[in-house]
Amino acid sequence: MKVLVLGNGGREHALVWKLRQSARVSKLYCAPGNGGIADEAECLPVDLKSLESIVALGERVRPDLTVVGPELPLTLGVVDEFMRRGWRVFGPTKDAARLEWSKSFAKEFLQRHRIPTAAYAICDSVEEVRAALAHFHLPIVVKADGLAAGKGVVIAASKEEAATVAAEMFSGKMVGEAGRRVVLEEFLKGDELSFLVLSDGERVAPLVAAQDHKRIGDGDTGPNTGGMGAYSTAEIVDDKMRDWLVNHIARPVVAGMKVEGAEYRGVLYCGLMMTARGPMVLEFNCRFGDPETQPILMRLESDLVEALEASIEGRVSEGDFKWSRDASVCVVMASGGYPGTFDVRKKISGLDAAAEVEGVKVFHAGTSKQDGAFYTAGGRVLGVSARAAELETAVRRAYEACGKIEFEGAQFRRDIAGRALKKK
């Protein structure tokens, strides 16, 4: 079968890598892809901001299965358009993806269906923000309502800072149109958890859990990013907690969306905070996470194509996935200046040496290839990932590989999975 993956990041490279392992895939495309993906799939030009461009690509390629990687095509309604033409596509419809592209909708949805989440206020002006701040203790989480590539969240230490950040969001200077509405949230303490499930609109099957590291600096310092690394182990959640998350969060979300007329098919990413009061929903993503997909798929031992088809065909079951008990980790190497302004076209060296480290796979996120050489082409450049029987070994291998890769301005956190290792 012919498979098309939409996207150009590390998540899409991981999807391509895993889909390529399926005996059922005879031809693999990625649009637009990146320098590293081009070594494993045929990369095709497309404008992911244009529904017309994506549909035209589908007309040319006529894939047997399309897998939507990033969020933007979902918000454009690419799944709706492909389904209308009778093309098999994996991902939620535009209405179902509202769980991600509108934080205010998600918060109100959670409240309607009594799913645990932080206290919040939805504001449409600075005046409303200042009035609502009286009801919050410090610190206060300020979120842009729309999509902001993981950068529309600020933890404000004072109410004045919260008001200033909200004003910047409303002005459009900070996150563009994503900030036309702002959500204030209670700050929750605990460990973050990325819990993903596969859904067919009624049934759900959990994937293995992962933990992301969103801030740019060691010790969770500095501004938020799209994610600087993640790890996955069998110990992150035990069977009892996994079942609780399925029954009290994932299934109620899928059932609630169906009741509200927006059946949810695809991967549902539940970003959780494991608090002293129990698990609480921080956010939803309506697609595979990045960089969580990299360590998660490194542990997957069954056919990804079969699982995706189960979602499309309405036959999801617990048996759709088989997982290794090994640990896996992904360390993101980013451009200097990220998540702010950064330069591109920096030559990358050492990739072959990194790939020779046992258990390592280097996923490309923001790279281009010219005359056989790789160059930086984005903020997050590489996802250096490793798998091993023990987390300590996986982490050591990933950082050994990072040490072999060089490009001007390269930065990466040196404490990915550090909290988990301290608990051992």
Side-chain angles (χ1 to χ4, degrees):
M1 65 189 300
K2 293 189 295 184
V3 178
L4 169 64
V5 176
L6 294 177
N8 62 348
R11 163 187 49 229
E12 287 74 37
H13 193 177
L15 287 167
V16 163
W17 172 75
K18 183 53 68 172
L19 289 166
R20 193 171 178 228
Q21 296 171 21
S22 172
R24 297 183 55 202
V25 176
S26 57
K27 183 63 178 179
L28 190 54
Y29 302 96
C30 188
N34 62 40
I37 292 175
D39 288 342
E40 303 190 49
E42 182 179 344
C43 290
L44 302 172
V46 72
D47 181 0
L48 293 178
K49 298 178 182 178
S50 167
L51 182 59
E52 181 179 342
S53 176
I54 298 172
V55 171
L57 174 66
E59 289 281 6
R60 291 197 307 274
V61 174
R62 290 300 178 102
D64 299 299
L65 171 65
T66 298
V67 182
V68 185
E71 60 271 29
L72 184 56
L74 297 175
T75 70
L76 297 176
V78 67
V79 171
D80 309 64
E81 284 298 313
F82 275 39
M83 289 174 61
R84 190 170 67 82
R85 289 167 168 77
W87 301 343
R88 288 161 64 82
V89 57
F90 176 81
T93 62
K94 181 178 180 179
D95 280 350
R98 195 177 180 190
L99 280 171
E100 177 170 6
W101 58 260
S102 175
K103 290 184 178 62
S104 58
F105 170 81
K107 295 298 290 190
E108 291 174 332
F109 174 88
L110 289 165
Q111 186 176 52
R112 285 195 298 275
H113 295 277
R114 298 182 180 181
I115 299 168
T117 190
Y120 69 96
I122 298 170
C123 304
D124 292 305
S125 68
V126 176
E127 291 72 26
E128 289 184 11
V129 168
R130 291 192 179 279
L133 285 172
H135 303 288
F136 288 86
H137 296 292
L138 297 175
I140 300 165
V141 184
V142 185
K143 295 183 176 182
D145 181 53
L147 298 174
K151 302 165 196 170
V153 179
V154 175
I155 300 172
S158 68
K159 294 185 178 181
E160 192 55 42
E161 182 187 0
T164 300
V165 168
E168 290 181 8
M169 288 184 177
F170 286 129
S171 73
K173 296 176 182 178
M174 189 171 181
V175 288
E177 285 296 305
R180 65 179 180 270
R181 172 173 279 186
V182 165
V183 177
L184 302 180
E185 263 189 11
E186 166 195 12
F187 178 79
L188 298 176
K189 292 182 180 179
D191 286 335
E192 287 195 42
L193 181 73
S194 300
F195 186 72
L196 286 70
V197 299
L198 182 73
S199 171
D200 62 8
E202 185 173 345
R203 290 163 290 273
V204 301
L207 284 68
V208 290
Q211 188 173 80
D212 188 14
H213 297 63
K214 288 204 174 296
R215 297 220 178 182
I216 188 67
D218 289 357
D220 294 323
T221 56
N224 272 346
T225 70
M228 291 301 293
Y231 72 95
S232 177
T233 68
E235 294 79 29
I236 290 183
V237 292
D238 59 24
D239 292 347
K240 185 176 180 181
M241 177 55 72
R242 180 201 62 197
D243 292 344
W244 192 96
L245 296 174
V246 167
N247 292 322
H248 292 84
I249 294 178
R251 281 202 181 109
V253 170
V254 171
M257 291 300 286
K258 186 171 184 177
V259 166
E260 297 193 11
E263 186 177 76
Y264 193 99
R265 294 189 181 216
V267 162
L268 177 66
Y269 169 123
C270 305
L272 309 174
M273 184 67 81
M274 310 300 281
T275 77
R277 289 146 51 194
M280 310 275 266
V281 176
L282 293 175
E283 64 175 358
F284 293 116
N285 290 335
C286 295
R287 32 74 193 187
F288 287 98
D290 190 346
E292 294 94 337
T293 301
Q294 290 87 306
I296 287 174
L297 290 186
M298 288 196 82
R299 294 183 58 201
L300 179 63
E301 298 196 324
S302 51
D303 192 326
L304 181 58
V305 171
E306 297 286 348
L308 304 186
E309 286 190 325
S311 170
I312 294 170
E313 297 169 5
R315 52 179 179 82
V316 163
S317 73
E318 287 272 355
D320 289 328
F321 299 109
K322 292 180 182 177
W323 303 101
S324 166
R325 288 194 62 83
D326 283 359
S328 54
V329 62
C330 172
V331 178
V332 171
M333 298 188 72
S335 295
Y338 176 81
T341 304
F342 55 86
D343 294 325
V344 295
R345 292 288 303 164
K346 305 298 183 183
K347 191 172 183 178
I348 305 169
S349 63
L351 290 170
D352 289 341
E356 291 176 359
V357 178
E358 184 180 357
V360 164
K361 171 66 179 178
V362 180
F363 295 109
H364 290 236
T367 68
S368 61
K369 191 175 185 181
Q370 185 175 352
D371 299 327
F374 289 98
Y375 296 86
T376 65
R380 292 188 294 174
V381 178
L382 301 166
V384 182
S385 305
R387 171 178 153 176
E390 300 292 335
L391 179 60
E392 295 93 334
T393 306
V395 169
R396 177 178 54 76
R397 289 174 176 176
Y399 280 111
E400 180 183 346
C402 286
K404 297 179 181 297
I405 299 171
E406 294 183 357
F407 56 88
E408 184 183 335
Q411 61 169 328
F412 57 92
R413 284 184 57 162
R414 300 175 188 275
D415 64 345
I416 303 301
R419 288 193 299 274
L421 293 175
K422 288 179 181 177
K423 293 177 181 177
K424 288 184 173 290

